[in-house]
Amino acid sequence: MRRPALYSSSLRSPASGEPVLDGERPEAQAAPAPESAPAPAVADTAGTPPASRLHRGLRLARRGVTPALLLCALTLGGLGLWRPVPPRLTQDEVDAAVKHTLERVVLPSSAARAAAKVGPAVVRVTAYGKEDRRKNGKYKEKEPGEIERGIGTGVVIVDKGVILTNLHVVAGADHIRVTFFDGLESAASVTGVQPEQDLAVLQAHQIPDDLEAATLRSTADLRPGDEVVAIGFPFGIGPSVSSGVVSGLKRGFVSPEGKTQLRNLIQFDAAANPGNSGGPLVTMDGEVVGIVTAILNPTQSRTFLGIGFAVPIENAAAAAGMPPF
């Protein structure tokens, strides 16, 4: 059966050409006034008979529109169109608001933000080995059990547990263990070395589920005076953070024993001590530009005097078989 067509309220009566309201039948319209009594140009609502007003009200009610609803719609529509214009702030008012906020809120330093960004990728590296013990002035045979031979630092460069550190931290170790930021401790194996840069690559046997690798950054735009952060485990304490600046580039260093000669190093003055070896040298963006490898101290104390050295990350990444920048 065919469904009747639906029409909008804009249809016109074929007889009069006037709009026909929904639900209003054409035959229900008033008959044209006699010629002897033409309709006035302006309708006199005061003189409209009550029956006509009632008829109009019924027609509006039939369409679901009441004067109260119509008034509400007009009021809400007016409110929707009206939007208060916020006052425009002057530059002095903006500056005063910023100054007020800075006086009340203590923001973290750039060094703290950099350390927080790279922190989850920093690990403690511990080398273990056996020891010859003396008894009555003579050496005994090696006893079972191993002791801690050295502590250093490493940085995760691949989230599968690939770690960069210094070769002198793990050289001669019988086994190596790394401790991640969440406290997880795992055995690790040496998978690559670069003796000329004092670098070693480790692979952790177990890693945290949410392990993050550090972001590496080229040293091409590094300049003396740039702020840097050194993170590590000096004397086993850490992770510890120290900040300073790049003091120079393309420096050379010869180990006190004369066994190692390193070139093309980054010189920095952020505090570093034994245990920082293998840790990251980080920019204020939290990106690694070098691996801390040595400190210069002409005395026998082996403590920091203000000059530290780091291997540029380009060399360090090459030791891990990563493509250059």
Side-chain angles (χ1 to χ4, degrees):
M1 177 178 179
R2 249 180 109 181
R3 298 183 62 185
L6 300 177
Y7 298 96
S8 70
S9 59
S10 62
L11 292 179
R12 297 180 178 273
S13 168
S16 63
E18 295 298 324
V20 179
L21 299 176
D22 289 344
E24 182 181 358
R25 298 176 59 83
E27 58 269 20
Q29 301 217 359
E35 294 182 2
S36 58
V42 179
D44 184 5
T45 57
T48 304
S52 299
R53 291 200 298 270
L54 179 60
H55 182 63
R56 179 175 297 177
L58 289 173
R59 284 188 297 168
L60 289 173
R62 191 180 305 156
R63 295 183 60 196
V65 179
T66 63
L69 289 175
L70 193 58
L71 179 61
C72 289
L74 291 174
T75 302
L76 292 175
L79 290 175
L81 292 175
W82 182 76
R83 291 286 187 275
V85 179
R88 179 173 295 179
L89 296 176
T90 65
Q91 186 60 47
D92 290 341
E93 291 173 328
V94 173
D95 293 341
V98 171
K99 181 180 178 182
H100 177 71
T101 301
L102 292 177
E103 289 174 350
R104 293 172 59 95
V105 180
V106 179
L107 300 177
S109 67
S110 55
R113 293 194 298 270
K117 184 174 179 181
V118 76
V122 178
V123 301
R124 174 186 173 120
V125 179
T126 309
Y128 293 89
K130 295 181 179 179
E131 181 188 36
D132 288 332
R133 298 188 179 182
R134 291 177 180 269
K135 187 175 182 180
N136 297 326
K138 296 182 179 179
Y139 284 104
K140 289 184 59 178
E141 294 182 358
K142 290 182 179 179
E143 298 179 355
E146 296 173 320
I147 65 167
E148 186 179 286
R149 294 186 56 179
I151 296 175
T153 309
V155 59
V156 178
I157 59 172
V158 180
D159 59 8
K160 294 181 180 179
V162 179
I163 299 167
L164 270 176
T165 188
N166 281 145
L167 178 58
H168 73 260
V169 171
V170 296
D174 290 304
H175 74 272
I176 304 162
R177 300 193 71 81
V178 295
T179 306
F180 293 95
F181 72 100
D182 63 349
L184 175 66
E185 187 175 329
S186 169
S189 302
V190 177
T191 59
V193 296
Q194 194 178 74
E196 64 275 16
Q197 294 290 340
D198 190 25
L199 293 169
V201 183
L202 308 179
Q203 174 63 62
H205 298 176
Q206 186 180 2
I207 62 174
D209 293 334
D210 54 348
L211 180 62
E212 297 180 13
T215 301
L216 311 183
R217 171 181 169 178
S218 171
T219 61
D221 60 348
L222 199 64
R223 297 291 181 268
D226 286 346
E227 293 181 286
V228 287
V229 169
I231 306 176
F233 293 84
F235 301 108
I237 303 171
S240 300
V241 178
S242 60
S243 63
V245 298
V246 172
S247 304
L249 302 170
K250 300 185 182 303
R251 302 297 199 216
F253 173 78
V254 178
S255 65
E257 300 82 8
K259 297 179 180 179
T260 306
Q261 185 172 358
L262 304 175
R263 304 178 186 278
N264 191 34
L265 300 175
I266 303 169
Q267 179 187 338
F268 62 90
D269 69 354
N273 282 288
N276 276 103
S277 295
L281 187 68
V282 185
T283 66
M284 293 300 104
D285 296 327
E287 298 172 337
V288 179
V289 290
I291 299 297
V292 176
T293 190
I295 56 175
L296 181 61
N297 187 336
T299 71
Q300 298 296 320
S301 62
R302 298 184 61 218
T303 55
F304 185 69
L305 292 180
I307 298 178
F309 297 104
V311 178
I313 197 63
E314 289 89 344
N315 304 59
M322 299 177 66
F325 293 95

